[in-house]
């Protein structure tokens, strides 16, 4: 579904060129959930923005559903680190925004928005303004907005990183539930190993400066997963430890 | 258990209501106290120093004037109010589109801003007589002066609002392939409204001052004219009455603008 071929990204700054990504290649299958982890400065957000068409790679090619990325597309949904809700629009109008831009019939949009809000447990909040909601609820609305255009690919850029630990755990569970139900193709950037092992089919580890693909770790654990005392904690614990070591020993990678 | 718990709960909410009522009272108390203290001091000064009424009338004399000349003062208040509102609206109608134009192009911004700054630096008191020369003695030069005074803060604040849209909202627009017009209509314009109101609230207080300055020159009506005329006839109490009305007018217009803001942008100060 997503094909990333030898992608490099160099930012030109006043202090000289900064190499953010070097020769990264990755394939994401249809319905697969891939998490990208790495320390700050490993270019994981850059990679996601490249797939989203928000910026252009210095070299290499990215395709989604067989078509090269030339700019933002309707079949790609993007969820930001912050909710980025329009503060003057009600919850439902925020969720419907993409369909308004893509000129989808308003009634269809409304029905779909209500369904999504139901799905994330926000029915009854549709007429509220964003500032009346908690951070976790706002990010749920943001998720609905990313899903309403029914994207083939959902890109998530550290979507829960601005939330407190418990709300974050809540939303991770919720996202897992949605993923099990809809099996959408997701590329999920995070710096949280816990989120990665809970949600992903595969975890891609990037090493920093410049961002290179270090290793891909398969998470072969049945869903629903949990970090609590259930049957999977041992297997997940093992994977967490492995990822942790991979992330903490990046210095060993020769430049 | 629930039965024994119910009464304290009820007492609790009643207690909170009382607290809230006291809270509301204590909110209004400081301004009322401040005003009362100022009037008392004023009164004390006139009594203790036996000030002549044509130099400083006592609050009582001013109050009497307000009652006796109520019709005359009311008519002139309406004249000033009308000039103020017309000039203010004209400044919105011209200023907001100009802000749009200025923010649309960097070159236009650099062309227009120095001119605006110069225009704003000109003392409006100096312009008032010129306006009479150019536009005669009617209401139009007054409205125009109000317009001149309001124009600048409205343009500056609207332009600031339009060019300081939150980066993540702009990014959202980009990720949804919004074109220029969609980004403007759905994101940048509504995002600028709180800033616009900052300018409007500043402008409305200046507007009243502008109207009065204009009425000082070549006017036959309006509260500014009343102040000048009563000064000439040493009717200081009348001048004071007019000034008090101006103050009230200014405060009322300011809070009306703030109320309009709360109605249209209830989200403004919270996001």
């Amino acid at each position: 579904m997503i094909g990333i071929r030898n992608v490099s990204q160099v930012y030109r700054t006043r202090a000289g060129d900064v190499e953010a990504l070097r020769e990264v290649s990755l394939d994401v299958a249809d319905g697969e959930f891939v998490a990208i982890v790495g320390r700050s400065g490993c270019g994981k957000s850059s990679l996601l923005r490249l797939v989203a068409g928000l910026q252009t790679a210095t070299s290499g090619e990215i395709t989604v559903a067989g078509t090269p990325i030339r700019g933002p597309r309707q079949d790609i949904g993007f969820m930001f680190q912050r909710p980025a809700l329009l503060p003057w629009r009600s919850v439902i109008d925020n969720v419907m925004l993409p369909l308004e831009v893509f000129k989808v019939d308003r009634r269809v949009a409304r029905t779909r928005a209500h369904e999504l809000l139901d799905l994330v447990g926000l029915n009854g909040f549709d007429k509220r303004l964003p500032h009346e909601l908690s951070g976790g609820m706002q990010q749920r609305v943001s998720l609905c907005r990313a899903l309403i255009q029914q994207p083939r690919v959902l890109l998530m850029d550290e979507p829960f990183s601005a939330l407190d630990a418990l709300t974050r755990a809540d939303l991770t569970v919720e996202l897992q539930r949605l993923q099990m139900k809809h099996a959408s193709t997701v590329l999920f950037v995070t710096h949280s190993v816990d989120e990665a092992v809970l949600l992903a089919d595969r975890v891609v580890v990037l090493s920093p400066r410049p961002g290179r693909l270090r290793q891909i770790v398969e998470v072969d654990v049945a869903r629903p997963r949990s970090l609590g005392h259930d049957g999977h904690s041992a297997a997940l614990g093992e994977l967490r430890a492995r990822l942790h070591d991979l992330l903490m020993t990046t210095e060993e990678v020769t430049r | 258990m629930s039965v024994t718990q119910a009464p304290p709960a009820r007492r609790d909410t009643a207690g909170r209501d009382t607290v809230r009522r006291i809270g509301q009272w204590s909110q209004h108390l400081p301004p009322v106290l401040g005003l009362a203290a100022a009037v008392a001091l004023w009164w004390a000064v006139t009594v203790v120093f036996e000030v002549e009424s044509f130099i400083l009338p006592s609050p009582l004399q001013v109050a009497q004037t307000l009652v006796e000349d109520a019709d005359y003062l009311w008519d002139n208040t309406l004249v000033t109010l009308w000039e103020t509102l017309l000039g203010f609206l004209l400044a919105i109608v011209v200023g907001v589109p100009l802000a749009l134009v200025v923010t649309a192009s960097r070159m236009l911004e650099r062309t227009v801003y120095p001119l605006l700054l110069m225009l704003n630096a000109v003392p409006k008191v100096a312009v008032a007589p010129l306006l009479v020369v150019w536009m005669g003695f009617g209401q139009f030069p007054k409205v125009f002066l109000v317009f001149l005074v309001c124009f600048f803060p409205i343009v500056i604040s609207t332009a600031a609002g339009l060019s300081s849209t939150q980066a993540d909202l702009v990014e959202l627009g980009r990720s949804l392939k919004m074109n220029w017009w969609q980004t403007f209509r759905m994101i940048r314009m509504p995002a600028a409204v709180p800033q616009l109101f900052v300018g409007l609230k500043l402008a409305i207080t200046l507007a009243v001052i502008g109207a009065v300055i204009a009425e000082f020159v070549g006017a036959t009506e309006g509260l500014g004219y009343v102040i000048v005329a009563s000064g000439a006839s040493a009717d200081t109490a009348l001048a004071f009455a007019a000034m008090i009305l101006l103050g009230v007018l200014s405060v009322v217009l300011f809070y009306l603008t703030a109320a309009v803001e709360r109605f249209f942008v209830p989200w403004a100060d919270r996001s």
Side-chain angles (χ1 to χ4, degrees):
Chain A
M1 181 55 73
I2 306 174
I4 300 170
R5 295 270 163 286
N6 303 320
V7 164
S8 298
Q9 174 86 63
V10 179
Y11 294 112
R12 299 194 182 285
T13 69
R14 241 179 253 181
D17 289 358
V18 177
E19 201 178 357
L21 290 169
R22 182 188 288 173
E23 297 287 313
V24 174
S25 294
L26 175 70
D27 278 295
V28 180
D30 197 358
E32 193 182 18
F33 194 120
V34 172
I36 302 176
V37 297
R39 309 181 70 152
S40 46
C42 72
K44 51 191 191 298
S45 284
S46 293
L47 187 60
L48 202 70
R49 293 169 54 84
L50 288 171
V51 179
L54 288 170
Q55 59 190 57
T56 320
T58 313
S59 67
E61 197 188 39
I62 298 177
T63 56
V64 168
T67 329
I69 296 290
R70 301 262 176 271
R73 282 169 29 179
Q74 189 171 351
D75 62 349
I76 301 174
F78 197 95
M79 188 172 165
F80 297 91
Q81 197 167 344
R82 303 213 296 144
L85 302 175
L86 302 181
W88 51 87
R89 280 181 174 236
S90 65
V91 164
I92 187 112
D93 286 340
N94 263 294
V95 175
M96 285 162 61
L97 178 76
L99 297 190
E100 201 176 316
V101 178
F102 299 129
K103 305 211 160 50
V104 174
D105 181 79
R106 233 185 129 66
R107 260 170 311 164
V108 176
R110 187 169 290 277
T111 316
R112 224 187 273 172
H114 274 296
E115 281 168 13
L116 284 167
L117 287 172
D118 277 357
L119 208 59
V120 298
L122 280 181
N123 57 30
F125 288 91
D126 50 330
K127 292 194 181 64
R128 301 286 188 92
L129 288 173
H131 72 80
E132 298 172 307
L133 306 185
S134 68
M137 289 158 106
Q138 290 185 13
Q139 203 53 296
R140 284 187 167 97
V141 176
S142 177
L143 176 63
C144 291
R145 181 181 60 196
L147 289 174
I148 199 169
Q149 68 204 64
Q150 297 178 323
R152 291 209 220 190
V153 168
L154 180 59
L155 307 173
M156 306 177 87
D157 187 5
E158 303 189 30
F160 308 143
S161 61
L163 304 172
D164 67 88
L166 290 175
T167 311
R168 194 173 178 155
D170 260 2
L171 278 169
T172 310
V173 170
E174 200 136 312
L175 185 61
Q176 176 173 230
R177 191 170 55 82
L178 288 177
Q179 169 64 10
M180 287 171 69
K181 206 161 157 188
H182 293 275
S184 23
T185 311
V186 181
L187 203 51
F188 184 93
V189 164
T190 180
H191 51 241
S192 154
V193 170
D194 286 356
E195 273 174 20
V197 296
L198 272 175
L199 293 168
D201 297 306
R202 285 190 295 158
V203 180
V204 175
V205 182
L206 294 183
S207 57
R209 291 190 196 85
R212 282 150 300 166
L213 201 140
R214 176 126 193 251
Q215 195 163 346
I216 297 178
V217 176
E218 299 266 343
V219 187
D220 198 8
V221 177
R223 293 184 169 98
R225 301 169 187 161
S226 146
L227 288 174
H229 279 284
D230 69 354
H232 315 298
S233 51
L236 289 177
E238 173 62 30
L239 284 165
R240 271 165 86 189
R242 215 173 118 199
L243 285 167
H244 181 83
D245 288 347
L246 275 172
L247 286 169
M248 297 312 281
T249 55
T250 39
E251 288 77 15
E252 284 171 23
V253 180
T254 46
R255 305 203 78 189
Chain B
M1 203 46 199
S2 63
V3 177
T4 50
Q5 266 178 353
R10 211 161 31 225
R11 198 156 55 222
D12 202 8
T13 48
R16 241 181 293 127
D17 274 355
T18 317
V19 170
R20 193 162 350 112
R21 263 198 300 277
I22 292 168
Q24 279 169 354
W25 260 108
S26 60
Q27 220 184 7
H28 293 298
L29 208 57
V32 171
L33 272 180
L35 195 65
V39 172
L41 186 69
W42 169 14
W43 205 326
V45 167
T46 57
V47 172
V48 172
F49 298 103
E50 294 176 350
V51 186
E52 292 284 358
S53 72
F54 70 88
I55 294 175
L56 181 64
S58 74
L60 187 65
Q61 286 168 315
V62 174
Q64 276 169 349
T65 309
L66 274 171
V67 174
E68 283 163 15
D69 296 331
D71 289 345
Y72 173 69
L73 285 168
W74 179 243
D75 289 345
N76 285 292
T77 304
L78 285 183
V79 170
T80 304
L81 173 67
W82 185 235
E83 290 161 1
T84 304
L85 286 180
L86 274 182
F88 181 65
L89 290 178
L90 189 65
I92 296 175
V93 169
V94 177
V96 172
L98 187 75
L100 302 187
V101 172
V102 162
T103 47
S105 128
R106 188 106 195 104
M107 209 189 64
L108 266 172
E109 182 185 331
R110 291 178 55 189
T111 316
V112 175
Y113 260 45
L115 286 174
L116 277 179
L117 280 166
M118 277 165 69
L119 189 70
N120 189 54
V122 173
K124 303 300 178 297
V125 191
V127 181
L130 274 177
L131 291 181
V132 174
V133 174
W134 294 336
M135 300 170 184
F137 294 95
Q139 278 209 317
F140 188 66
K142 283 82 180 172
V143 171
F144 193 77
L145 194 74
V146 173
F147 160 77
L148 282 181
V149 171
C150 294
F151 182 65
F152 190 71
I154 291 177
V155 174
I156 296 294
S157 63
T158 311
L162 284 170
S163 51
S164 63
T165 318
Q166 265 182 54
D168 48 357
L169 297 187
V170 176
E171 185 94 297
L172 168 72
R174 281 219 315 129
S175 79
L176 293 175
K177 293 203 303 180
M178 284 190 189
N179 58 34
W180 185 89
W181 170 241
Q182 286 170 324
T183 311
F184 178 77
R185 184 170 57 87
M186 295 182 185
I187 296 178
R188 287 179 62 220
M189 199 169 64
V193 175
Q195 277 286 320
L196 166 68
F197 270 98
V198 171
L200 290 183
K201 283 191 283 192
L202 184 59
I204 194 69
T205 57
L206 293 173
V208 178
I209 300 173
V212 173
I213 290 172
E215 285 166 359
F216 278 181
V217 189
T220 51
E221 51 186 355
L223 288 174
Y225 165 76
V226 171
I227 291 170
V228 174
S230 55
S233 60
D235 190 354
T236 316
L238 185 61
F240 266 70
M243 282 190 274
I244 285 171
L245 285 173
L246 278 173
V248 171
L249 186 66
S250 188
V251 169
V252 167
L253 286 175
F254 178 84
Y255 281 109
L256 272 178
T257 312
V260 172
E261 178 186 20
R262 267 199 303 281
F263 182 76
F264 280 111
V265 270
W267 47 274
D269 46 339
R270 272 166 279 189
S271 49

